[in-house]
Amino acid sequence: GEISIKKMTNERILSVSTWDGSKFKYSICSPVQKTGIKKKVLKLTLKNGKTLKATPDHEVLTRRGFIEIQHLLTTDEVLCYD
């Protein structure tokens, strides 16, 4: 489900899924750490109504491969799942 970054800071170890090009891979990641650096945050809204708030250099999976959201084209399709 959806978890805010603020709630993930210093939380327990998290499980995440990533796409390796042919299948989803489930991994364990370390807790989110505060850096003390404030960065610009973009809001990406998909056709299905889902949104993602992330820094411009955050990568999402598209048919062109992993692309930073600041470089997405309006014609890109972003992989997402429920």
Coordinates of all heavy atoms in Angstrom, one line a residue:
G1 N 0.8 -1.2 0.0 CA 0.0 0.0 0.0 C 0.8 1.3 0.0 O 2.1 1.2 0.0
E2 N 0.2 2.4 0.0 CA 0.9 3.7 0.0 C 1.4 4.1 1.3 O 0.7 4.0 2.3 CB -0.1 4.7 -0.5 CG 0.5 6.1 -0.8 CD -0.6 7.0 -1.3 OE1 -1.2 6.7 -2.4 OE2 -0.7 8.1 -0.7
I3 N 2.7 4.4 1.4 CA 3.3 4.9 2.6 C 4.0 6.2 2.3 O 4.8 6.3 1.4 CB 4.3 3.9 3.1 CG1 3.7 2.5 3.4 CG2 5.0 4.3 4.4 CD1 4.6 1.4 3.7
S4 N 3.8 7.2 3.1 CA 4.5 8.5 2.9 C 6.0 8.3 3.3 O 6.4 7.5 4.2 CB 3.9 9.6 3.7 OG 4.2 9.4 5.1
I5 N 6.9 9.1 2.6 CA 8.3 9.1 2.9 C 8.5 9.4 4.4 O 9.4 8.8 5.1 CB 9.1 10.0 2.0 CG1 9.0 9.6 0.6 CG2 10.5 10.2 2.4 CD1 9.6 8.3 0.2
K6 N 7.8 10.4 4.9 CA 7.9 10.8 6.3 C 7.7 9.6 7.2 O 8.5 9.5 8.2 CB 6.9 11.9 6.6 CG 7.1 12.6 7.9 CD 6.2 13.8 8.1 CE 6.5 14.5 9.4 NZ 5.6 15.7 9.5
K7 N 6.7 8.8 7.0 CA 6.5 7.6 7.8 C 7.5 6.5 7.7 O 7.8 5.8 8.6 CB 5.1 7.1 7.5 CG 4.0 7.9 8.0 CD 2.6 7.2 7.8 CE 1.5 8.1 8.3 NZ 0.2 7.5 8.1
M8 N 8.2 6.5 6.5 CA 9.2 5.5 6.3 C 10.6 5.8 6.9 O 11.4 5.0 7.1 CB 9.4 5.3 4.8 CG 8.3 4.6 4.1 SD 8.5 4.1 2.4 CE 9.7 5.2 1.7
T9 N 10.8 7.1 7.2 CA 12.0 7.5 7.8 C 12.3 6.8 9.1 O 11.5 6.8 10.0 CB 12.0 9.1 8.0 OG1 11.7 9.7 6.8 CG2 13.4 9.5 8.5
N10 N 13.5 6.2 9.2 CA 13.9 5.4 10.4 C 12.9 4.3 10.8 O 12.9 3.8 11.9 CB 14.1 6.4 11.6 CG 15.2 7.4 11.3 OD1 16.2 7.1 10.7 ND2 14.9 8.6 11.7
E11 N 12.2 3.8 9.8 CA 11.3 2.7 10.1 C 12.0 1.3 9.9 O 13.2 1.3 9.5 CB 10.1 2.7 9.1 CG 9.0 3.7 9.4 CD 8.1 3.3 10.5 OE1 7.8 2.1 10.6 OE2 7.7 4.2 11.3
R12 N 11.3 0.3 10.1 CA 11.9 -1.1 10.0 C 12.3 -1.3 8.5 O 12.0 -0.5 7.6 CB 10.9 -2.1 10.4 CG 9.7 -2.1 9.4 CD 8.5 -2.9 10.0 NE 7.4 -3.1 9.1 CZ 6.7 -2.2 8.5 NH1 7.0 -0.9 8.7 NH2 5.7 -2.5 7.8
I13 N 13.0 -2.4 8.2 CA 13.4 -2.7 6.9 C 12.1 -2.9 6.0 O 11.1 -3.5 6.5 CB 14.3 -4.0 6.9 CG1 15.6 -3.7 7.6 CG2 14.5 -4.5 5.5 CD1 16.5 -4.8 7.8
L14 N 12.2 -2.4 4.8 CA 11.0 -2.4 3.9 C 11.3 -3.4 2.8 O 12.4 -3.6 2.3 CB 10.8 -1.1 3.3 CG 10.6 0.1 4.3 CD1 10.7 1.4 3.6 CD2 9.3 -0.1 5.0
S15 N 10.2 -4.0 2.3 CA 10.2 -4.8 1.1 C 9.7 -4.0 -0.1 O 8.7 -3.3 0.0 CB 9.3 -6.1 1.3 OG 9.2 -6.8 0.1
V16 N 10.5 -4.1 -1.2 CA 10.1 -3.4 -2.4 C 10.1 -4.3 -3.6 O 10.8 -5.3 -3.6 CB 11.0 -2.1 -2.7 CG1 10.9 -1.1 -1.6 CG2 12.4 -2.6 -2.9
S17 N 9.4 -3.9 -4.6 CA 9.4 -4.7 -5.9 C 10.0 -3.8 -7.0 O 9.8 -2.6 -7.1 CB 8.1 -5.2 -6.3 OG 7.2 -4.1 -6.5
T18 N 10.9 -4.4 -7.8 CA 11.5 -3.7 -8.9 C 11.3 -4.6 -10.2 O 11.1 -5.8 -10.1 CB 13.0 -3.5 -8.7 OG1 13.6 -4.7 -8.4 CG2 13.2 -2.5 -7.5
W19 N 11.4 -3.9 -11.3 CA 11.3 -4.6 -12.6 C 12.6 -4.8 -13.2 O 13.4 -3.9 -13.4 CB 10.4 -3.8 -13.5 CG 10.1 -4.4 -14.9 CD1 10.6 -4.0 -16.0 CD2 9.2 -5.5 -15.2 NE1 10.1 -4.8 -17.1 CE2 9.3 -5.7 -16.5 CE3 8.4 -6.3 -14.4 CZ2 8.5 -6.7 -17.2 CZ3 7.7 -7.2 -15.0 CH2 7.7 -7.4 -16.4
D20 N 13.0 -6.0 -13.5 CA 14.4 -6.3 -14.1 C 14.4 -6.4 -15.6 O 15.4 -6.7 -16.2 CB 15.0 -7.5 -13.5 CG 14.3 -8.8 -13.9 OD1 13.4 -8.8 -14.8 OD2 14.7 -9.9 -13.5
G21 N 13.2 -6.0 -16.3 CA 13.1 -6.1 -17.7 C 12.3 -7.2 -18.2 O 11.8 -7.2 -19.3
S22 N 12.2 -8.3 -17.4 CA 11.3 -9.4 -17.8 C 10.4 -9.8 -16.7 O 9.4 -10.5 -16.9 CB 12.2 -10.6 -18.2 OG 13.0 -11.0 -17.1
K23 N 10.7 -9.5 -15.4 CA 9.8 -9.9 -14.3 C 10.0 -9.0 -13.1 O 11.0 -8.3 -13.0 CB 10.1 -11.4 -13.9 CG 11.4 -11.6 -13.4 CD 11.7 -13.1 -13.1 CE 13.0 -13.4 -12.6 NZ 14.2 -13.0 -13.4
F24 N 9.1 -9.0 -12.2 CA 9.3 -8.3 -10.9 C 10.2 -9.0 -10.0 O 10.2 -10.2 -9.9 CB 7.9 -8.1 -10.2 CG 7.1 -6.9 -10.8 CD1 6.0 -7.2 -11.6 CD2 7.5 -5.6 -10.5 CE1 5.3 -6.1 -12.1 CE2 6.7 -4.6 -11.0 CZ 5.6 -4.8 -11.8
K25 N 11.1 -8.3 -9.3 CA 12.0 -8.8 -8.4 C 11.7 -8.2 -7.0 O 11.6 -7.0 -6.9 CB 13.4 -8.5 -8.8 CG 14.5 -9.0 -7.8 CD 15.8 -8.6 -8.3 CE 16.9 -9.0 -7.3 NZ 18.2 -8.5 -7.6
Y26 N 11.5 -9.0 -6.0 CA 11.2 -8.5 -4.7 C 12.5 -8.4 -3.9 O 13.2 -9.4 -3.8 CB 10.1 -9.3 -4.0 CG 8.8 -9.2 -4.8 CD1 8.5 -10.1 -5.8 CD2 7.9 -8.2 -4.5 CE1 7.3 -10.0 -6.5 CE2 6.8 -8.0 -5.2 CZ 6.5 -8.9 -6.2 OH 5.3 -8.8 -6.9
S27 N 12.7 -7.3 -3.2 CA 14.0 -7.1 -2.5 C 13.7 -6.4 -1.1 O 12.6 -5.9 -0.9 CB 14.9 -6.2 -3.3 OG 15.1 -6.6 -4.6
I28 N 14.6 -6.5 -0.3 CA 14.6 -5.8 1.0 C 15.5 -4.6 0.9 O 16.6 -4.6 0.4 CB 15.1 -6.7 2.2 CG1 14.3 -8.0 2.2 CG2 15.1 -6.0 3.5 CD1 12.8 -7.8 2.6
C29 N 15.0 -3.4 1.4 CA 15.8 -2.2 1.3 C 16.0 -1.7 2.8 O 15.2 -2.0 3.7 CB 15.2 -1.2 0.4 SG 13.7 -0.5 1.0
S30 N 17.0 -0.9 2.9 CA 17.2 -0.3 4.2 C 16.2 0.8 4.5 O 15.6 1.4 3.5 CB 18.6 0.4 4.2 OG 19.6 -0.6 4.0
P31 N 16.1 1.2 5.7 CA 15.1 2.3 6.0 C 15.5 3.6 5.3 O 16.7 3.8 5.0 CB 15.2 2.5 7.5 CG 15.8 1.2 8.0 CD 16.6 0.7 6.9
V32 N 14.5 4.4 5.1 CA 14.8 5.8 4.5 C 15.5 6.6 5.5 O 15.1 6.6 6.7 CB 13.4 6.4 4.1 CG1 13.6 7.8 3.6 CG2 12.8 5.5 3.0
Q33 N 16.5 7.4 5.1 CA 17.2 8.3 6.0 C 17.0 9.7 5.6 O 17.0 10.0 4.4 CB 18.7 7.9 6.0 CG 19.0 6.5 6.4 CD 18.7 6.3 7.9 OE1 18.9 7.1 8.7 NE2 18.1 5.1 8.1
K34 N 16.8 10.6 6.6 CA 16.7 12.0 6.3 C 18.1 12.5 5.9 O 19.1 12.1 6.5 CB 16.3 12.8 7.5 CG 14.8 12.6 7.8 CD 14.4 13.5 8.9 CE 12.9 13.4 9.3 NZ 12.5 14.2 10.4
T35 N 18.2 13.3 4.9 CA 19.5 13.9 4.5 C 19.7 15.3 4.9 O 20.8 15.9 5.0 CB 19.6 13.9 2.9 OG1 18.6 14.8 2.4 CG2 19.5 12.5 2.3
G36 N 18.6 16.0 5.3 CA 18.6 17.3 5.7 C 18.6 18.3 4.5 O 18.7 19.5 4.7
I37 N 18.5 17.7 3.3 CA 18.6 18.5 2.1 C 17.1 18.6 1.6 O 16.5 17.6 1.4 CB 19.5 17.9 1.1 CG1 20.9 17.8 1.6 CG2 19.4 18.7 -0.2 CD1 21.8 17.0 0.7
K38 N 16.7 19.8 1.4 CA 15.3 19.9 0.8 C 15.5 20.0 -0.7 O 16.3 20.7 -1.3 CB 14.6 21.2 1.3 CG 14.2 21.1 2.7 CD 13.2 22.1 3.0 CE 12.8 21.9 4.5 NZ 11.4 21.8 4.6
K39 N 14.8 19.1 -1.4 CA 14.8 19.0 -2.9 C 13.5 19.4 -3.4 O 12.4 19.2 -2.8 CB 15.2 17.6 -3.3 CG 16.6 17.3 -3.1 CD 16.9 15.9 -3.7 CE 18.3 15.5 -3.7 NZ 18.6 14.3 -4.4
K40 N 13.5 19.8 -4.7 CA 12.2 20.1 -5.4 C 11.5 18.7 -5.6 O 12.1 17.7 -5.8 CB 12.6 20.7 -6.8 CG 11.4 21.0 -7.7 CD 11.9 21.6 -9.0 CE 10.7 21.9 -9.9 NZ 11.2 22.5 -11.1
V41 N 10.2 18.8 -5.5 CA 9.4 17.6 -5.7 C 8.4 17.8 -6.8 O 7.7 18.8 -6.8 CB 8.6 17.2 -4.4 CG1 7.7 16.0 -4.6 CG2 9.6 16.9 -3.3
L42 N 8.4 16.9 -7.7 CA 7.4 16.9 -8.8 C 6.2 16.0 -8.6 O 6.4 15.0 -7.8 CB 8.1 16.5 -10.1 CG 9.3 17.3 -10.6 CD1 9.9 16.7 -11.8 CD2 9.0 18.7 -10.8
K43 N 5.1 16.3 -9.1 CA 3.9 15.4 -9.0 C 3.6 14.9 -10.4 O 3.3 15.6 -11.3 CB 2.7 16.2 -8.5 CG 1.5 15.3 -8.3 CD 0.4 16.1 -7.7 CE -0.9 15.3 -7.5 NZ -2.0 16.0 -6.9
L44 N 3.7 13.6 -10.6 CA 3.4 12.9 -11.8 C 2.0 12.3 -11.7 O 1.7 11.6 -10.8 CB 4.4 11.8 -12.0 CG 4.2 10.9 -13.2 CD1 4.3 11.7 -14.5 CD2 5.2 9.7 -13.2
T45 N 1.1 12.7 -12.6 CA -0.3 12.2 -12.6 C -0.4 11.3 -13.9 O -0.2 11.8 -15.0 CB -1.3 13.3 -12.6 OG1 -1.1 14.1 -11.5 CG2 -2.7 12.8 -12.6
L46 N -0.8 10.1 -13.7 CA -1.0 9.1 -14.8 C -2.5 9.2 -15.3 O -3.4 9.6 -14.6 CB -0.7 7.7 -14.3 CG 0.7 7.5 -13.7 CD1 0.9 6.1 -13.2 CD2 1.8 7.9 -14.6
K47 N -2.7 8.6 -16.5 CA -4.0 8.6 -17.1 C -5.0 7.9 -16.1 O -6.2 8.2 -16.1 CB -4.0 7.8 -18.4 CG -3.5 8.7 -19.5 CD -3.7 7.9 -20.8 CE -3.2 8.7 -22.0 NZ -3.4 7.9 -23.3
N48 N -4.6 6.9 -15.4 CA -5.5 6.1 -14.5 C -5.8 6.8 -13.2 O -6.5 6.3 -12.3 CB -5.0 4.7 -14.2 CG -3.7 4.7 -13.4 OD1 -3.2 5.8 -13.0 ND2 -3.1 3.5 -13.2
G49 N -5.3 8.1 -13.1 CA -5.5 8.9 -11.9 C -4.5 8.7 -10.8 O -4.5 9.5 -9.8
K50 N -3.7 7.7 -10.8 CA -2.6 7.5 -9.8 C -1.6 8.7 -9.9 O -1.4 9.2 -11.0 CB -1.9 6.2 -10.0 CG -2.8 5.0 -9.7 CD -2.0 3.7 -9.7 CE -2.9 2.6 -9.4 NZ -2.4 1.7 -8.4
T51 N -1.1 9.0 -8.8 CA -0.1 10.1 -8.7 C 1.2 9.6 -8.0 O 1.1 8.7 -7.2 CB -0.6 11.3 -8.0 OG1 -0.9 11.0 -6.7 CG2 -1.8 11.9 -8.7
L52 N 2.3 10.2 -8.3 CA 3.6 9.9 -7.7 C 4.2 11.3 -7.4 O 4.4 12.1 -8.3 CB 4.5 9.1 -8.6 CG 5.9 8.9 -8.2 CD1 6.0 8.1 -6.9 CD2 6.7 8.3 -9.3
K53 N 4.6 11.5 -6.2 CA 5.4 12.7 -5.9 C 6.8 12.2 -5.6 O 7.0 11.3 -4.8 CB 4.8 13.3 -4.6 CG 3.5 14.0 -4.8 CD 3.0 14.6 -3.5 CE 1.6 15.1 -3.7 NZ 1.0 15.7 -2.4
A54 N 7.7 12.8 -6.3 CA 9.1 12.4 -6.2 C 10.1 13.5 -6.7 O 9.6 14.4 -7.4 CB 9.4 11.1 -7.1
T55 N 11.3 13.4 -6.4 CA 12.3 14.3 -6.8 C 12.5 14.1 -8.4 O 12.2 13.1 -8.9 CB 13.7 14.1 -6.1 OG1 14.1 12.8 -6.3 CG2 13.6 14.4 -4.6
P56 N 13.0 15.2 -9.0 CA 13.1 15.1 -10.5 C 14.0 14.0 -11.0 O 13.8 13.5 -12.1 CB 13.7 16.5 -10.9 CG 13.3 17.4 -9.8 CD 13.3 16.5 -8.5
D57 N 14.9 13.6 -10.2 CA 15.9 12.5 -10.6 C 15.4 11.1 -10.3 O 16.0 10.1 -10.6 CB 17.3 12.7 -10.1 CG 17.3 12.7 -8.6 OD1 16.2 12.8 -7.9 OD2 18.4 12.6 -8.0
H58 N 14.2 11.0 -9.8 CA 13.6 9.7 -9.5 C 13.2 9.0 -10.8 O 12.6 9.6 -11.6 CB 12.3 9.8 -8.6 CG 11.7 8.5 -8.2 ND1 12.2 7.8 -7.1 CD2 10.8 7.7 -8.7 CE1 11.5 6.7 -6.9 NE2 10.6 6.6 -8.0
E59 N 13.6 7.7 -10.9 CA 13.4 7.0 -12.1 C 12.1 6.1 -12.1 O 11.8 5.6 -11.0 CB 14.6 6.1 -12.5 CG 15.8 6.8 -12.8 CD 17.0 5.9 -13.2 OE1 17.0 4.7 -12.8 OE2 17.9 6.4 -13.9
V60 N 11.4 6.1 -13.2 CA 10.2 5.2 -13.3 C 10.4 4.3 -14.5 O 11.1 4.7 -15.5 CB 8.9 6.0 -13.4 CG1 8.6 6.7 -12.1 CG2 8.9 7.0 -14.5
L61 N 9.8 3.2 -14.5 CA 10.0 2.3 -15.7 C 9.0 2.6 -16.8 O 7.8 2.7 -16.5 CB 9.8 0.8 -15.2 CG 10.0 -0.2 -16.3 CD1 11.4 -0.2 -16.9 CD2 9.7 -1.6 -15.7
T62 N 9.5 2.8 -18.0 CA 8.7 3.0 -19.1 C 9.0 2.0 -20.2 O 10.0 1.2 -20.0 CB 8.9 4.5 -19.7 OG1 10.2 4.5 -20.3 CG2 8.8 5.5 -18.6
R63 N 8.4 2.1 -21.4 CA 8.7 1.2 -22.5 C 10.1 1.6 -23.0 O 10.8 0.8 -23.7 CB 7.7 1.3 -23.6 CG 6.4 0.7 -23.2 CD 5.4 0.8 -24.4 NE 4.1 0.3 -24.1 CZ 3.7 -1.0 -24.1 NH1 4.6 -1.9 -24.4 NH2 2.5 -1.3 -23.7
R64 N 10.6 2.8 -22.7 CA 12.0 3.2 -23.1 C 13.0 2.8 -22.1 O 14.2 3.1 -22.2 CB 12.0 4.7 -23.3 CG 11.2 5.3 -24.4 CD 11.5 6.7 -24.7 NE 11.1 7.6 -23.6 CZ 11.9 8.7 -23.2 NH1 13.0 9.0 -23.8 NH2 11.4 9.4 -22.2
G65 N 12.6 2.1 -21.0 CA 13.5 1.8 -19.9 C 13.2 2.7 -18.7 O 12.2 3.4 -18.7
F66 N 14.2 2.7 -17.8 CA 14.1 3.6 -16.6 C 14.4 5.0 -17.0 O 15.5 5.3 -17.6 CB 15.0 3.1 -15.5 CG 14.4 1.9 -14.8 CD1 14.8 0.6 -15.1 CD2 13.5 2.0 -13.8 CE1 14.3 -0.5 -14.5 CE2 13.0 0.9 -13.1 CZ 13.4 -0.3 -13.5
I67 N 13.5 5.9 -16.7 CA 13.6 7.3 -17.1 C 13.4 8.2 -15.9 O 12.4 7.9 -15.1 CB 12.6 7.7 -18.2 CG1 12.7 6.8 -19.4 CG2 12.7 9.2 -18.6 CD1 13.9 6.9 -20.2
E68 N 14.2 9.2 -15.7 CA 14.0 10.2 -14.6 C 12.7 10.9 -14.9 O 12.4 11.3 -16.1 CB 15.1 11.2 -14.5 CG 16.4 10.6 -14.0 CD 17.6 11.6 -13.9 OE1 17.4 12.7 -14.3 OE2 18.6 11.2 -13.4
I69 N 11.9 11.2 -13.9 CA 10.6 11.8 -14.2 C 10.7 13.2 -14.8 O 9.8 13.6 -15.5 CB 9.6 11.8 -13.0 CG1 10.1 12.6 -11.8 CG2 9.3 10.4 -12.5 CD1 9.1 12.8 -10.7
Q70 N 11.8 13.8 -14.6 CA 12.0 15.1 -15.2 C 12.2 15.0 -16.7 O 12.1 16.0 -17.4 CB 13.2 15.9 -14.6 CG 14.5 15.2 -14.8 CD 15.7 15.8 -14.0 OE1 15.6 17.0 -13.7 NE2 16.7 15.1 -13.7
H71 N 12.5 13.8 -17.2 CA 12.7 13.6 -18.6 C 11.6 12.8 -19.3 O 11.8 12.4 -20.5 CB 14.1 12.9 -18.9 CG 15.2 13.7 -18.4 ND1 15.5 15.0 -18.8 CD2 16.2 13.4 -17.5 CE1 16.6 15.4 -18.2 NE2 17.0 14.5 -17.4
L72 N 10.5 12.6 -18.6 CA 9.4 11.9 -19.2 C 8.8 12.7 -20.3 O 8.7 13.9 -20.3 CB 8.3 11.6 -18.2 CG 8.6 10.4 -17.2 CD1 7.6 10.4 -16.1 CD2 8.8 9.1 -17.9
L73 N 8.3 12.0 -21.3 CA 7.6 12.6 -22.4 C 6.1 12.3 -22.2 O 5.7 11.3 -21.6 CB 8.0 12.0 -23.8 CG 9.5 12.1 -24.1 CD1 9.8 11.3 -25.4 CD2 10.0 13.5 -24.2
T74 N 5.2 13.2 -22.8 CA 3.8 12.9 -22.7 C 3.3 11.6 -23.3 O 2.3 11.1 -23.0 CB 3.0 14.1 -23.3 OG1 3.3 14.3 -24.6 CG2 3.2 15.4 -22.5
T75 N 4.2 11.1 -24.2 CA 3.9 9.9 -24.9 C 4.4 8.6 -24.2 O 4.1 7.5 -24.6 CB 4.5 9.9 -26.3 OG1 5.9 10.1 -26.2 CG2 3.8 10.9 -27.2
D76 N 5.1 8.8 -23.1 CA 5.7 7.7 -22.3 C 4.6 7.0 -21.6 O 3.6 7.6 -21.2 CB 6.7 8.2 -21.3 CG 8.1 8.4 -21.9 OD1 8.4 7.6 -22.9 OD2 8.8 9.3 -21.5
E77 N 4.7 5.7 -21.5 CA 3.8 4.9 -20.7 C 4.6 4.4 -19.5 O 5.6 3.8 -19.6 CB 3.3 3.7 -21.4 CG 2.4 4.1 -22.6 CD 1.9 2.9 -23.4 OE1 1.9 1.7 -22.9 OE2 1.4 3.1 -24.5
V78 N 4.1 4.7 -18.3 CA 4.8 4.3 -17.0 C 4.1 3.1 -16.5 O 2.9 2.9 -16.4 CB 4.6 5.5 -16.0 CG1 5.3 5.1 -14.6 CG2 5.3 6.7 -16.5
L79 N 5.0 2.1 -16.2 CA 4.5 0.8 -15.6 C 4.1 1.1 -14.1 O 4.8 1.7 -13.4 CB 5.6 -0.2 -15.6 CG 5.3 -1.6 -15.0 CD1 4.2 -2.3 -15.8 CD2 6.5 -2.4 -14.8
C80 N 2.9 0.6 -13.8 CA 2.4 0.7 -12.4 C 1.5 -0.5 -12.2 O 1.0 -1.1 -13.2 CB 1.7 2.0 -12.1 SG 0.1 2.3 -13.0
Y81 N 1.3 -0.8 -11.0 CA 0.4 -1.9 -10.6 C -0.3 -1.6 -9.3 O 0.1 -0.7 -8.6 CB 1.2 -3.3 -10.5 CG 2.2 -3.3 -9.4 CD1 1.9 -3.8 -8.2 CD2 3.5 -2.7 -9.6 CE1 2.9 -3.8 -7.2 CE2 4.4 -2.7 -8.6 CZ 4.1 -3.3 -7.4 OH 5.0 -3.3 -6.4
D82 N -1.4 -2.3 -9.1 CA -2.2 -2.1 -7.9 C -1.6 -2.8 -6.7 O -1.0 -3.8 -6.8 CB -3.6 -2.5 -8.1 CG -4.3 -1.6 -9.1 OD1 -4.0 -0.4 -9.1 OD2 -5.2 -2.1 -9.8

